């Protein structure tokens, strides 16, 4: 019994009916929850980009990403949900906060939190969202997840799909990440060489740290 | 650095870490050293510098202690009294009478100089230490309290078996012997064995005074007449041993 | 109705464990640490060898004033302890203590991922506290927390991945069902890496640079008083429970033991967890705090290569077996 299934167990009857005759007009408990969490996620995302307090933005980002994870859970994609929490909430946001703390993140409003090209950003964001929504709706218009059957997003199913049907994109992504990693190492080593060349008195302690990371 | 050390055996990596773990584990199995103080009284050495007791009968208000005190924490008040002449037609004597003797233990640094300098053995170290107060002003203790602490002063340790006889005991013995010789010379007259010390020097006199006043701290059987001093001198606590 | 009762009962039990086990470990730490240092530890509270010391501490914390610094970010400051504490409660739900479906709070398919993901969230509480306190020491503590998390999350994940590879599943009961005794020597390196990295993530000594009280005055918790501070402490001890439980389940075979695996499996789990908790305390007493650069070096130059080697070993053995 998965968490998602546990969440749905309460409304089993309604779900089974909905699975037989999917439609927007008789929403099941899961669908309502999905919508509500979606609204919360969307609201958190809006606050993330509009708040003037930098660290608050990062924390609202946590809410947004967590909301997305819950949405994955409701779609029975349990593995993806936990990986989402692990990578984005656990690591990316921590990295973000680390960066914010290292630079200047005052308590209260940051005067320079606003950017002049907000309209351009908005345009790009709306365009991206429209494209994504269009693609997703076009691709999965008639697809319904059967909540009662075998979970469609369990670790086993995801793993099989990933390493049978999608193994080429997966490997391509791996190579991309590897390239990024190698690039980062090369860059930090170059900086170290420069630092030792220019300032012989200070033996590049900063780039040492960069290299260690 | 490792090369300079004598080649004992190859160092296993992590052996230092293991050694540290072993130390703590071994300590855990041993008996603890915690003293459960309020439940169990500490076993203090007899010379412990706990508090200063005043043996006020010995005090002559010479003020040496108050003057030598580095912290100026000793307060002494006195007045002069006139003692009528001992014999008719004699001269009146005056002596100092102690009115107040107080030590401010919030200032005292327990250096013990006052005890060192007291020429009349009126100040002593006591191992008593439980006199904390909640108000700093209450730490100024008056003569009655200081006198009370005198009861907690332990008896001085015995001399070594082969040690020289204490000076005052020697003086007392000499006096007693001289007296005995006198009595032998004047044999027909009745002997006065209980009043032999009067013509002795000041030193044995003071010592005897102290001993007499301190008597309640000791078992009654130990109190001695001066006449039998020479025989049991090793039992006697010498006053010099106080420091 | 029976299902609801079942769920409620499980939640209640897990909550009870969550409230008592950290206290037991805390009390054990008091006494064990004291005896390892030749002391007696608490002796008065509760009468018998100070067994109620932590209860007394709790009462004391509850009586204290809850101070929020004037310059602090109020809401985040107040929210941080909850963020630090709650993830461990959630993780506790997923740890199986015995065989069968009855011995785990909630059966989760991707158990390892769930557990590691949620534990990572707990660190966010320290970060929030460090930033929101409006205190330089707290900020430094927060920074160190973040750096430590980034450094030690990777070896921890890799070590866990090794076990998942060995078992062929990422579900915690699944791993235990597949467990054989010879996994112990096979996965020992991964176990050590996991345990050490977990200690570092909990900021337990000797990896307590982020809270180093002698230099940055308890880091992110500098400004906390009263119950909120107590919640942070509780989070630390709950973290010990979770880490020891997880190491038991992943590497030490959980309910498997030389005998009594059927009825008394949970005893084995608890026993192994307790031994690991003792080791946590033991390490704390024994070793001095690592410097920040040593911390980073240990992770990147020792733990990560070791965990990668473990994964390679696991892979090789797995292929050879098949």
């Amino acid at each position: 019994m998965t968490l998602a299934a546990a969440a749905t167990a309460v409304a089993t009857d309604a779900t089974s009916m909905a699975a037989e005759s999917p439609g927007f007009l008789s929403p099941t408990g899961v669908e309502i929850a999905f919508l509500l969490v979606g609204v919360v996620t969307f609201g958190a995302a809006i606050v993330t980009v509009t708040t003037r307090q930098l660290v608050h933005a990062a924390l609202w980002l946590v809410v947004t990403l967590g909301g997305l994870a819950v949405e994955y859970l409701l779609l029975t994609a349990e593995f993806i949900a936990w990986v989402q929490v692990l990578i984005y909430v656990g690591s990316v946001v921590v990295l973000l906060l680390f960066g914010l703390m290292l630079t200047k993140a005052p308590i209260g409003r940051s005067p320079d939190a606003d950017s002049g090209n907000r309209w351009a950003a908005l345009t790009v964001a709306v365009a991206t969202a429209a494209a994504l929504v269009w693609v997703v709706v076009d691709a999965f218009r008639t697809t319904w997840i059967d909540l009662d059957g075998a979970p469609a997003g369990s670790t086993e199913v995801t793993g099989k799909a990933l390493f049978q049907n999608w193994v080429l994109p997966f490997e391509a992504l791996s190579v991309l990440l590897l390239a990024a990693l190698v690039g980062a190492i090369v860059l930090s080593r170059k900086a170290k060489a420069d630092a030792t060349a220019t300032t012989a008195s200070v033996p590049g302690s900063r780039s040492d740290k960069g290299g260690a990371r | 650095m490792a090369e300079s050390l004598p080649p004992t055996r190859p160092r296993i990596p992590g052996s230092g870490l293991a050694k540290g773990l072993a130390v703590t584990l071994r300590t855990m199995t041993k008996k603890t050293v915690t003293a459960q103080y309020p439940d169990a009284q500490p076993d203090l050495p007899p010379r412990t510098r706990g508090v200063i007791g005043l043996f006020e009968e010995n005090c002559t208000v010479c003020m040496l202690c108050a003057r030598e005190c580095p912290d100026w924490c000793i307060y002494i008040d006195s007045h002069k009294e006139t003692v009528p002449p001992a014999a008719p037609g004699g001269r009146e004597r005056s002596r100092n009478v102690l009115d107040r003797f107080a030590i401010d233990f919030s200032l005292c640094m327990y250096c013990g100089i006052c005890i060192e300098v007291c020429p009349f053995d009126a100040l002593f170290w006591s191992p008593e230490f439980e006199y904390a107060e909640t108000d700093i002003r209450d730490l100024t203790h008056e003569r009655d309290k200081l006198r009370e602490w005198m009861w907690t002063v332990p008896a001085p340790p015995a001399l070594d078996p082969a040690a020289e006889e204490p000076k005052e005991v020697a003086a007392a013995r000499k006096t007693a012997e001289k007296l005995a010789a006198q009595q032998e010379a004047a044999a027909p007259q009745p002997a006065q064995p209980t009043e032999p010390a009067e013509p002795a020097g000041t030193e044995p006199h003071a010592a005897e005074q102290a001993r007499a006043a301190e008597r309640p701290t000791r078992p009654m059987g130990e109190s001695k007449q001066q006449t039998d001093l020479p025989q049991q001198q090793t039992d006697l606590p010498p006053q010099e041993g106080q420091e | 109705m029976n299902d609801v009762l079942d769920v409620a009962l499980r939640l209640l039990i897990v909550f009870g464990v969550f409230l008592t086990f950290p206290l037991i470990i805390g009390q054990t730490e008091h006494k064990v640490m004291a005896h390892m240092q030749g002391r007696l530890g608490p002796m008065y509270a509760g009468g018998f060898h100070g067994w109620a010391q932590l209860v007394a501490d709790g009462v004391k914390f509850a009586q204290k004033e809850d101070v929020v610094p004037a310059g602090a970010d109020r809401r985040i400051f107040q929210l941080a302890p909850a963020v630090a504490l709650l993830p461990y409660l959630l993780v506790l739900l997923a740890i199986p203590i015995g065989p069968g479906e009855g011995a785990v709070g909630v059966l989760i398919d991707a158990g390892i991922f769930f557990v590691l993901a949620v534990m990572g969230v707990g660190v966010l509480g320290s970060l929030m506290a460090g930033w929101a306190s409006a205190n330089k020491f707290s900020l430094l503590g927060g920074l160190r927390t973040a750096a430590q998390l980034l450094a030690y999350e990777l070896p921890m994940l890799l070590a866990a991945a090794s076990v998942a590879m060995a078992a062929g599943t990422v579900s915690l009961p699944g791993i235990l069902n597949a467990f054989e005794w010879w996994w112990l020597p096979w996965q020992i390196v991964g176990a050590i890496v996991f345990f050490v990295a977990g200690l570092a993530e909990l900021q337990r000594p000797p990896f307590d640079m982020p809270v180093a009280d002698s230099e940055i005055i308890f880091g992110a918790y500098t400004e906390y008083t009263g119950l909120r501070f107590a919640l942070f402490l509780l989070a630390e001890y709950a973290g010990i429970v979770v880490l020891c439980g997880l190491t038991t389940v992943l590497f030490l075979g959980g309910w498997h033991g030389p005998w009594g695996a059927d009825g008394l499996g949970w005893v084995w789990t608890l026993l192994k967890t307790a031994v690991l908790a003792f080791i946590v305390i033991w390490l704390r007493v024994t070793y001095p705090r690592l410097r920040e650069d040593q911390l980073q070096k240990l992770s990147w130059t020792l733990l990560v290569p070791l965990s990668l080697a473990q994964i390679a070993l696991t892979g090789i053995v797995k292929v050879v077996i098949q």
Side-chain angles (χ1 to χ4, degrees):
Chain A
M1 191 169 73
T2 65
L3 243 199
T8 58
V10 187
T12 323
D13 299 353
T15 317
S16 62
M17 262 164 40
E20 285 156 13
S21 60
F24 291 107
L25 291 179
S26 60
T28 63
V30 176
E31 283 168 1
I32 293 172
F34 188 87
L35 268 183
L36 287 180
V37 174
V39 168
V40 169
T41 307
F42 187 65
I46 297 279
V47 178
T48 302
V49 292
T50 51
T51 179
R52 293 288 180 88
Q53 306 190 28
L54 278 179
V55 175
H56 283 201
L59 294 176
W60 278 113
L61 190 61
V62 173
V63 177
T64 311
L65 297 170
L68 268 185
V70 175
E71 298 281 52
Y72 288 141
L73 266 187
L74 291 175
L75 293 174
T76 72
E78 201 187 322
F79 177 76
I80 303 291
W82 299 133
V83 170
Q84 162 93 5
V85 174
L86 183 66
I87 303 295
Y88 283 97
V89 179
S91 302
V92 170
V93 172
V94 169
L95 197 60
L96 210 65
L97 282 173
F98 185 66
L100 284 179
M101 286 179 176
L102 265 186
T103 56
K104 206 177 171 196
I107 289 175
R109 287 156 186 267
S110 304
D112 52 351
D114 203 1
S115 162
N117 43 20
R118 60 193 307 176
W119 291 112
L122 188 65
T123 314
V124 172
V126 167
T128 313
L132 276 177
V133 166
W134 182 56
V135 169
V136 168
V137 166
D138 191 45
F140 299 106
R141 189 193 307 261
T142 56
T143 311
W144 287 83
I145 296 171
D146 181 14
L147 291 175
D148 290 330
S154 73
T155 315
E156 201 177 344
V157 177
T158 311
K160 274 184 180 154
L162 204 58
F163 289 101
Q164 283 173 359
N165 304 337
W166 302 92
V167 69
L168 195 63
F170 180 83
E171 289 301 328
L173 265 181
S174 313
V175 171
L176 182 69
L177 287 178
L178 188 66
L181 203 64
V182 172
I185 292 173
V186 167
L187 279 178
S188 61
R189 286 187 67 83
K190 189 158 174 286
K192 183 182 180 181
D194 286 350
T196 45
T198 49
T199 56
S201 58
V202 184
S205 60
R206 282 176 63 106
S207 49
D208 266 345
K209 275 185 202 157
R213 243 165 242 136
Chain B
M1 261 180 282
E3 289 84 20
S4 66
L5 289 171
T8 48
R9 50 184 171 169
R11 281 170 55 87
I12 310 159
S15 63
L17 297 178
K19 207 183 283 173
L21 287 174
V23 166
T24 42
L25 199 64
R26 213 179 306 128
T27 312
M28 193 176 78
T29 57
K30 281 183 191 155
K31 200 166 155 34
T32 56
V33 296
T34 305
Q36 292 282 80
Y37 157 57
D39 296 337
Q41 285 296 322
D43 188 19
L44 293 173
R47 300 297 102 187
T48 304
R49 296 183 168 204
V51 74
I52 296 168
L54 169 70
F55 186 47
E56 64 178 65
E57 288 86 344
N58 270 5
C59 182
T60 61
V61 204
C62 67
M63 304 285 284
L64 278 179
C65 50
R67 288 201 296 173
E68 291 297 328
C69 179
D71 294 339
W72 290 92
C73 68
I74 301 180
Y75 305 95
I76 300 179
D77 289 339
S78 69
H79 70 272
K80 198 169 270 186
E81 272 181 5
T82 309
V83 182
R91 191 166 65 85
E92 284 184 334
R93 303 294 176 102
S94 64
R95 59 182 269 263
N96 275 325
V97 177
L98 189 65
D99 290 334
R100 179 186 186 218
F101 193 106
I103 298 179
D104 186 350
F105 283 103
S106 65
L107 292 180
C108 178
M109 61 183 192
Y110 301 88
C111 62
I113 289 177
C114 52
I115 294 163
E116 296 278 351
V117 300
C118 181
F120 301 107
D121 286 330
L123 292 171
F124 295 91
W125 277 121
S126 156
E128 179 67 29
F129 63 96
E130 292 171 304
Y131 52 97
E133 299 285 351
T134 49
D135 191 327
I136 194 168
R137 284 167 298 192
D138 296 340
L139 274 172
T140 305
H141 289 294
E142 296 294 334
R143 62 193 269 200
D144 50 343
K145 192 79 203 253
L146 298 178
R147 184 65 184 83
E148 299 242 314
W149 274 321
M150 206 46 222
W151 303 118
T152 63
V153 175
L159 287 185
D160 286 342
E164 197 185 329
E165 194 175 40
K167 255 185 269 169
E168 65 268 41
V169 176
R173 186 167 53 82
K174 254 178 235 160
T175 314
E177 278 167 2
K178 208 160 49 176
L179 206 69
Q182 275 177 10
Q183 283 170 352
E184 218 167 288
Q189 286 150 20
Q192 299 175 330
T194 49
E195 295 263 19
E198 207 49 51
T202 54
E203 226 174 34
H205 180 65
E208 176 54 22
Q209 239 186 14
R211 240 168 264 128
E214 262 187 285
R215 196 166 295 146
T217 58
R218 301 173 188 178
M220 286 314 275
E222 252 187 78
S223 72
K224 286 163 201 78
Q225 302 277 320
Q226 200 157 14
T227 43
D228 51 28
L229 269 179
Q231 284 78 31
Q232 306 189 358
Q233 52 176 292
T234 46
D235 290 340
L236 259 188
Q239 290 301 97
E240 283 95 341
Q242 282 292 15
E243 293 310 318
Chain C
M1 200 58 217
N2 218 358
D3 278 357
V4 174
L5 203 68
D6 184 52
V7 167
L9 198 66
R10 277 163 194 242
L11 289 184
L12 212 64
I13 289 174
V14 170
F15 194 64
V17 167
F18 180 69
L19 285 185
T20 50
F21 275 37
L23 293 189
I24 293 172
I25 287 183
Q27 181 69 22
T28 314
E29 176 165 45
H30 269 314
K31 296 305 268 189
V32 168
M33 187 152 82
H35 281 274
M36 280 183 171
Q37 294 167 345
R39 300 181 288 116
L40 282 172
M43 288 296 283
Y44 284 93
F48 179 74
H49 282 260
W51 67 270
Q53 182 61 45
L54 287 184
V55 180
D57 282 351
V59 172
K60 181 194 73 177
F61 277 129
Q63 288 170 342
K64 284 192 170 182
E65 185 186 359
D66 186 22
V67 180
V68 180
D73 191 312
R74 246 192 128 69
R75 271 203 317 223
I76 293 184
F77 184 86
Q78 290 176 335
L79 199 63
V83 176
L85 186 58
L86 279 184
Y88 293 117
L89 177 60
L90 290 181
V91 172
L92 221 49
L93 276 174
I95 296 180
I97 72 159
E101 283 206 8
V104 56
V106 174
L107 209 57
I108 295 173
D109 179 37
I112 290 188
F113 281 97
F114 168 75
V115 160
L116 294 177
V118 175
M119 270 178 85
V121 175
V123 178
L124 216 54
S126 295
L127 283 185
M128 287 163 65
W131 175 78
S133 293
N135 180 318
K136 292 187 182 79
F137 295 114
S138 300
L139 193 63
L140 273 178
L143 273 174
R144 288 179 177 182
T145 307
Q148 197 154 316
L149 176 79
L150 292 176
Y152 283 89
E153 186 89 348
L154 187 60
M156 202 172 172
L157 267 176
L158 290 176
S162 160
V163 182
M165 273 172 68
T169 172
V170 288
S171 136
L172 294 177
I175 287 173
L176 280 176
N177 283 328
F179 183 82
E180 305 281 347
W181 68 267
W182 48 268
W183 283 25
L184 219 53
W186 182 25
Q187 301 288 343
I188 185 70
V189 175
I192 293 171
V193 168
F194 185 85
F195 193 63
V196 170
L199 276 185
E201 204 156 304
L202 292 179
Q203 302 162 12
R204 284 288 297 180
F207 305 104
D208 61 337
M209 201 67 196
V211 293
D213 47 338
S214 51
E215 43 191 289
I216 54 172
I217 322 162
F218 243 67
Y221 318 137
T222 302
E223 297 287 356
Y224 279 89
T225 55
L227 265 185
R228 288 182 204 281
F229 182 72
L231 287 184
F232 273 121
L233 285 189
L234 187 63
E236 181 178 338
Y237 288 93
I240 295 176
V241 176
V242 164
L243 173 70
C244 295
L246 268 185
T247 313
T248 303
V249 166
L250 290 180
F251 294 97
L252 302 184
W255 64 72
H256 294 283
W259 60 85
D262 297 326
L264 294 173
W266 57 275
V267 176
W268 279 111
T269 309
L270 290 187
L271 200 68
K272 289 169 183 174
T273 308
V275 169
L276 283 178
F278 175 78
I279 291 178
V280 170
I281 298 166
W282 191 8
L283 290 174
R284 173 188 176 165
V285 180
T286 305
Y287 297 135
R289 181 183 304 131
L290 263 69
R291 227 166 43 215
E292 188 63 33
D293 62 322
Q294 292 170 331
L295 268 175
Q296 297 288 331
K297 201 174 167 192
L298 176 71
S299 169
W300 292 112
T301 63
L302 190 67
L303 294 188
V304 171
L306 273 183
S307 54
L308 285 173
Q310 172 69 61
I311 284 192
L313 177 71
T314 309
I316 290 169
V317 172
K318 194 81 179 161
V319 169
V320 167
I321 288 174
Q322 283 173 350

